[in-house]
Amino acid sequence: MRPATELIHAGERTDAGETTSLTVPIYETSTFIFDSVADLIKYQEGKLNAYLYSRYENPTVVAVEQKLAAVDGAEASLLFSSGMAAIATALMTLLKAGDEVVCSAAIYGGTFHILEDLLSKFGVERRFISLDELANPGAAIGPKTKMVWFESPINPTLRCVDVRIVADACKKAGVLSVIDNTFASAINQPVLSMGIDLSMQSATKYLNGHSDVTGGALSGSRALITPLSKTRRLLGGIMDPIPAFALGRGMKTMPLRIAQHNANALTVARFLEGHPAIERVSYPGLASHPDHAIAQRQMSGFGGVVTIDVKGGQAGAFRTFDRLTVIKRAASLGGVESICSLPMLTSQYGLTDEELAKAGVSKGMIRISIGLEDASDLIADLEQALS
Ligand SMILES: *Cc1c(COP(=O)(O)O)cnc(C)c1O
C-alpha cells in the first residue's frame, strides 16, 4: 500500500473484544465499518447489534448512558450535548399542537423560554402555575394537559415541591410527569422510584461534577426513552464521545461527591444561619426552611446549594460577593469548586421588582454552590467577606 493509504488505516481498527482495557475507550469516530451488504441488511432489520453513525449512537456514549440508568434507577437513559438539548428533545417528542404543558412558574429560565418563545410557534399551549397551585396538581390539570413539568428544589430559593403528590396526580389523570432533577440528583432524590415518568438533568452540574463538561440527560422507561432517542437522531443533540468519557469518569465518584456536598452545605448553612450580617439562609436541610418537611420526606441529602440574603440589600450583597476569595464568582453549580452568583444578575436578570418578589428573589441574595473544599476554609472565607 502507498504511504497515505497506510497512514490512514494503520492501527485504527480495534474491534470490541480484541483488547482487555479495564475502562471503555473513547470511540472518537463519526462512523462505523460494515463488512458486507449482508451485515448492513441485518443491522437495518434489527438483527445485528452494531453501530452505524455517531449522531445515532456511539459505544462510549452508550457505556455512560448505562451508568446514568444505574444511578437514576431507570430502564433506559440518554445523553445530550447540553441540558437544553435534552429539554428540547423531550418537549418536541412528547408534545404536539393543541397539547398543553402545565409548568411550574418557578422554573429554569431556558425551560421557560423554550416553551414560551419556541414551542408556542408550533401550537403547544403553556400554563405556568404557582407553587401553591403545584401543591394541588390535580386541580391544575385540564382537559388539554398532556404534561406537568416542574423542579425541586427550585433555583435560587430552594423551595421544594412534593414529588410524589405530582407523580400521583399525573398518573391518575393520565398525564406525563417530568421533573428537572438537576439540583438534587438521583443520589439525593430518586424521582423515578417516586412515580415520576421522566427525569431530566443538566449533566453539566452534579452528574459530571467537575465543571469541565456541558451535557444533558433524560431517564425513564424504555417505552418513553425509545421515541426520545429517535428525536435525538433528528435534532442531533447527542453528546460527543470525549465529553461522555469525562462525564463517565466524573459519575463514578458521584455518591462520594454528593455525600460531601450535602455535608459541607449543611455545615456552611448552619454557620450562616447564626451570622449577624445575614438576613436569611435558604437551605432545605435547615428546620427554618419553609419546605423542610417536604424535603425530609423525599430527599436523603439536601444538596450543595445554599442561598443567603445579606443584610443591607443589594449593596450588602455586592460588597460580600466581591470580597469572597476561596468561593469564586461564576455561574453554574455542582462542581468540586465552590462558586457563587447573584440571582438578580444571572437567572433573574432584568426582572422588575414585582416579578422578583413573585419569584421570591431579593436583591440581597447570593446563591452559593458549595464545593468539596474543607468546610472550615469556606466558613472562614464567608466570615471575612461578611465582616
Ligand atoms: C443548568 C441547568 C439547566 C440547563 O442545562 P445546560 O447544561 O446549561 O444546558 C436546566 N435546568 C437546571 C435546573 C439547570 O441548573
Side-chain angles (χ1 to χ4, degrees):
M1 273 192 272
R2 305 289 304 150
T5 311
E6 194 106 32
L7 196 61
I8 287 166
H9 293 285
E12 287 291 349
R13 183 164 176 178
T14 48
D15 290 328
E18 257 181 20
T19 62
T20 52
S21 159
L22 177 62
T23 61
V24 70
I26 306 172
Y27 284 90
E28 192 62 13
T29 181
S30 56
T31 193
F32 300 85
I33 298 168
F34 281 82
D35 279 337
S36 64
V37 73
D39 275 359
L40 195 45
I41 290 169
K42 270 199 246 165
Y43 171 83
Q44 293 295 12
E45 290 174 346
K47 292 174 190 154
L48 181 71
N49 204 3
Y51 292 90
L52 179 78
Y53 188 53
S54 281
R55 174 160 52 78
Y56 291 14
E57 276 168 330
N58 173 284
T60 309
V61 179
V62 166
V64 182
E65 285 171 345
Q66 286 166 357
K67 284 190 201 306
L68 179 61
V71 77
D72 280 353
E75 275 178 20
S77 297
L78 294 173
L79 285 171
F80 295 83
S81 55
S82 69
M84 287 310 300
I87 294 171
T89 301
L91 293 173
M92 290 198 69
T93 308
L94 302 171
L95 298 167
K96 62 179 190 314
D99 288 345
E100 179 193 65
V101 193
V102 168
C103 185
S104 171
I107 199 80
Y108 182 72
T111 310
F112 172 80
H113 285 292
I114 206 165
L115 284 169
E116 198 54 21
D117 307 343
L118 223 49
L119 270 289
S120 56
K121 293 202 286 188
F122 301 94
V124 172
E125 292 173 27
R126 301 85 49 208
R127 193 146 46 84
F128 295 96
I129 63 170
S130 68
L131 286 181
D132 287 342
E133 289 170 292
L134 205 49
N136 183 13
I141 293 170
K144 283 197 276 181
T145 309
K146 185 78 190 292
M147 172 192 288
V148 174
W149 185 297
F150 70 111
E151 280 173 30
S152 185
I154 293 161
N155 178 52
T157 56
L158 306 168
R159 292 294 307 270
C160 298
V161 176
D162 193 312
V163 173
R164 286 188 188 86
I165 288 181
V166 177
D168 290 349
C170 287
K171 267 215 168 67
K172 207 166 147 216
V175 162
L176 280 169
S177 55
V178 188
I179 189 169
D180 180 336
N181 204 27
T182 300
F183 270 55
S185 88
I187 302 275
N188 280 333
Q189 187 170 268
V191 290
L192 295 178
S193 74
M194 300 179 197
I196 291 291
D197 293 313
L198 186 67
S199 167
M200 175 268 152
Q201 288 164 91
S202 166
T204 314
K205 318 293 169 53
Y206 289 105
L207 279 178
N208 177 57
H210 294 77
S211 316
D212 51 9
V213 164
T214 302
L218 294 175
S219 292
S221 68
R222 197 167 302 283
L224 202 52
I225 291 295
T226 301
L228 296 167
S229 158
K230 289 184 180 146
T231 308
R232 186 179 66 175
R233 291 184 183 194
L234 296 175
L235 294 180
I238 192 171
M239 180 176 269
D240 235 46
I242 289 177
F245 157 76
L247 172 62
R249 188 167 57 178
M251 283 177 62
K252 290 175 194 177
T253 55
M254 233 188 132
L256 298 172
R257 284 190 288 107
I258 298 292
Q260 197 56 36
H261 282 296
N262 292 340
N264 272 4
L266 189 60
T267 304
V268 170
R270 284 188 176 140
F271 157 75
L272 289 167
E273 195 166 38
H275 198 283
I278 299 279
E279 190 83 47
R280 187 171 43 159
V281 181
S282 300
Y283 184 66
L286 294 177
S288 59
H289 190 272
D291 303 317
H292 181 57
I294 297 176
Q296 271 188 314
R297 273 203 297 279
Q298 64 193 19
M299 301 179 83
S300 55
F302 303 104
V305 180
V306 177
T307 299
I308 55 174
D309 237 310
V310 178
K311 277 190 184 153
Q314 179 175 302
F318 282 13
R319 181 175 168 277
T320 308
F321 189 74
D322 277 347
R323 287 167 59 108
L324 288 164
T325 60
V326 177
I327 302 171
K328 304 289 187 273
R329 288 158 288 276
S332 195
L333 62 124
V336 297
E337 316 83 357
S338 291
I339 57 175
C340 64
S341 63
L342 295 163
M344 69 159 300
L345 291 181
T346 47
S347 49
Q348 269 75 25
Y349 183 66
L351 297 194
T352 63
D353 285 358
E354 197 178 296
E355 288 167 329
L356 282 177
K358 217 173 145 197
V361 174
S362 82
K363 291 183 175 168
M365 260 185 187
I366 303 178
R367 186 191 78 185
I368 310 166
S369 171
I370 302 291
L372 303 186
E373 301 92 340
D374 293 294
S376 56
D377 288 329
L378 301 176
I379 287 174
D381 192 30
L382 285 157
E383 177 76 79
Q384 64 77 23
L386 287 163
S387 67

